[in-house]
Structure formats: C-alpha cells, structure tokens
Amino acid sequence: MIFGLKMKNILFILIGTAIMAFGLVNFNMQNKLAEGGFTGITLLLYFMFKWDPSYTNLILNIPLFFIGWKLLGRNAFIYTLLGTVGLSVFLWIFQRYSIDMPLKDDLTLAALFAGVFLGIGLGIIFRYGGTTGGVDIIARLVQKYAGWSMGKTMFIFDICVIAASVLTYLNYKQAMYTLVAVFIGARVIDFIQEGAYTARGAMIVSERNEDISKKIMEEMDRGVTVLKGYGSFTKIEREVLYCVVAKNEIVRLKNLITSVDPHAFVSVTVVHDVHGEGFTLDENKKPIEI
C-alpha cells in the first residue's frame, strides 16, 4: 500500500482507462458513434469543433474535483482523480498511435466493439474503486441534495448528451448504433462488476436434513446453514437447509441430495457475489488471491 492506497487497485484502474480509451479512439471516434456522460460531451466537442478529448476531459472535470474532494472521501477521490487523468493520458496516446480499423461499412461490428471495450474498461475501473469523474460526481451531489437515485440522474444525463449529439452531428443510423453500443456497454459493466464467476445457492427441504447436511460438509467441504421455517398450508414447523456452492459443483450437490432423499425439495438460485470462507477467504480466514 502507498498512503493507504492499494497498488492492485491503482494498476487495474490504469488498465481499465487504457482499455476504455482504446475503444473510444478506435471505435467511437473512427466511426462517429456517440456516448453518454462526460465522455459523450468530449466526443460531441471533438466532432463539432475538433477539440482534443484528452484535454476537454480534464478541463470539464477540474471544477468537479474541488467538489469531489469532500464528497467522495480521500481514497475514493484519489482513485477518481487517477481514473480521470489516466483516461486523458491514454486518449492522448491512442489518438497519436491509433490503429486504422475500417468499420464504417459495418457499424454493427463498430457498435459491438465500442460497447465491449467501454464496458470492460469502465467495469474494471468501477470494480477497483475508481471512476472517471464527471457525471458520477454530479449524481452523488444530486442524490445528497435532491434525493434522486444516482442511476436516475446518470440516465437522464446520458439521454440529454446523446440527444444533443443527435441534434448536432449524428445521423439516424449512427444514433441507433450508438444506443446499441451504450446498451452493450452497460451489460458488460454489470458483468465485470459482478464477476465472471457466479455461485449457486440451494434451499433444501427434506425429511432427512441432518443426513444431507452431514454429507455436504463431509464430501463437498461446504458449510450448511439451518433456517427455521414452517409450511404455509400445513403450519408444520420444519428446518430448511441453505448451502452456497461453486457453479460447477451444483450438479454434484443435487446428486448428493438425491442419493440421500430422492423426494427432497431443492430450489437453486444464481448468486452473483460471494464473500467469506471457501470463496474469498481460506480456512484460516485469510484472503484468497485470485
């Protein structure tokens, strides 16, 4: 750590800004695709006045940095500053060393690549505690003083920026493909933040709960939680088992349950994020490095 900041976070925020900048330069800018947020404003200024996004991104964010210092807290502010400056630096580099990708005749591919690169980049930045400034800070301000959710503010801001782009330099075809890119980017951001790894949670109702839980703990080395419940129709109290396993273990878990009680009721749900022993901590309660 440096002054309380994690080197791993710093490294991945910079990697995220590099991926995002590469996508913006080689897919959005080369194919005249817009974007939401402050990034969309920098693209609008580029296509309207040829102003370099690497500079306008910094200039637009400078006033917000003074607000963000108190609003975000020290570490979050530094990570945000790092993300914003990193994005501008990589935008400057990739504009001067860009790769010619002739996709103007295939805007479907251009929109897909733009959305994927932006989503991966922003997803990594968000996952490691950073932002690229801009609308994120504005959304926090509006939430604090007006009570609006951050998602609502960011959505309205994005719509306004894209609408302004449509009224200035986008034709209807580019506008539609921009919406495709924004949609894909949002889905990729969610995927990156939740993680490619997902677990499965199983709720088990059986007459042989003790045998099932014992077998799960012994054969799968997974913990089992016993919950108290009762049947809504029968009003009979009974125990319900809850167990979280890795995605690739769910078939083994169901086979194990069936071998003990073929009539057991099992409900399986997707668990997007898991913290604790067996997943993010080892048996000694120490973090597992992934």
Side-chain angles (χ1 to χ4, degrees):
M1 285 192 179
I2 300 177
F3 304 113
L5 303 175
K6 294 181 179 179
M7 286 301 299
K8 181 180 179 181
N9 289 32
I10 293 172
L11 175 63
F12 276 99
I13 288 172
L14 290 176
I15 290 173
T17 57
I19 293 171
M20 183 180 174
F22 182 88
L24 286 170
V25 171
N26 294 291
F27 300 111
N28 290 79
M29 292 172 65
Q30 283 193 25
N31 298 283
K32 273 198 168 184
L33 295 178
E35 184 52 58
F38 269 40
T39 303
I41 296 177
T42 62
L43 291 177
L44 190 154
L45 295 173
Y46 170 76
F47 289 118
M48 289 293 294
F49 307 109
K50 295 301 177 184
W51 292 356
D52 191 329
S54 63
Y55 298 122
T56 53
N57 179 60
L58 274 180
I59 293 168
L60 289 172
N61 276 288
I62 285 173
L64 295 175
F65 287 152
F66 294 101
I67 300 171
W69 174 255
K70 290 185 177 180
L71 188 66
L72 299 176
R74 177 183 170 277
N75 283 11
F77 171 75
I78 294 175
Y79 287 143
T80 293
L81 186 63
L82 183 67
T84 306
V85 174
L87 179 61
S88 285
V89 169
F90 285 114
L91 280 171
W92 188 91
I93 292 171
F94 289 130
Q95 282 182 93
R96 284 144 185 84
Y97 302 97
S98 63
I99 301 172
D100 185 28
M101 296 186 182
L103 295 176
K104 285 186 173 61
D105 295 328
D106 194 348
L107 283 179
T108 302
L109 272 180
L112 288 173
F113 279 118
V116 167
F117 272 82
L118 186 86
I120 292 175
L122 273 176
I124 292 173
I125 293 167
F126 292 158
R127 188 178 177 95
Y128 288 92
T131 72
T132 54
V135 68
D136 181 70
I137 297 175
I138 293 174
R140 289 172 188 263
L141 277 173
V142 174
Q143 183 185 46
K144 183 176 181 179
Y145 295 107
W148 287 17
S149 69
M150 288 184 63
K152 181 179 179 180
T153 303
M154 294 172 81
F155 176 75
I156 293 173
F157 196 94
D158 286 350
I159 291 296
C160 291
V161 173
I162 293 174
S165 301
V166 171
L167 294 173
T168 51
Y169 71 91
L170 287 183
N171 59 39
Y172 78 93
K173 189 176 181 181
Q174 291 165 334
M176 293 303 296
Y177 281 109
T178 289
L179 293 177
V180 171
V182 170
F183 177 80
I184 292 171
R187 299 284 73 78
V188 174
I189 288 171
D190 290 341
F191 179 77
I192 296 293
Q193 285 192 282
E194 292 170 354
Y197 174 84
T198 55
R200 296 293 184 268
M203 301 283 288
I204 307 157
V205 181
S206 169
E207 299 295 334
R208 301 184 60 186
N209 281 344
E210 189 172 337
D211 294 333
I212 291 173
S213 60
K214 184 178 179 181
K215 201 161 187 177
I216 291 172
M217 289 186 288
E218 288 179 351
E219 296 188 16
M220 297 188 66
D221 197 27
R222 290 294 185 189
V224 180
T225 300
V226 180
L227 308 173
K228 296 293 184 180
Y230 69 92
S232 179
F233 178 73
T234 63
K235 306 300 181 185
I236 298 174
E237 290 190 3
R238 62 169 62 230
E239 294 179 342
V240 179
L241 303 181
Y242 180 67
C243 179
V244 177
V245 298
K247 182 170 61 176
N248 61 345
E249 293 179 314
I250 191 61
V251 174
R252 183 183 173 194
L253 175 66
K254 289 193 287 186
N255 290 338
L256 185 151
I257 295 168
T258 303
S259 69
V260 177
D261 182 4
H263 306 291
F265 177 84
V266 183
S267 171
V268 179
T269 57
V270 176
V271 180
H272 290 288
D273 204 359
V274 186
H275 295 268
E277 187 176 341
F279 293 93
T280 58
L281 301 175
D282 62 19
E283 65 274 11
N284 298 314
K285 308 295 183 183
K286 294 182 177 178
I288 298 173
E289 291 295 333
I290 299 175

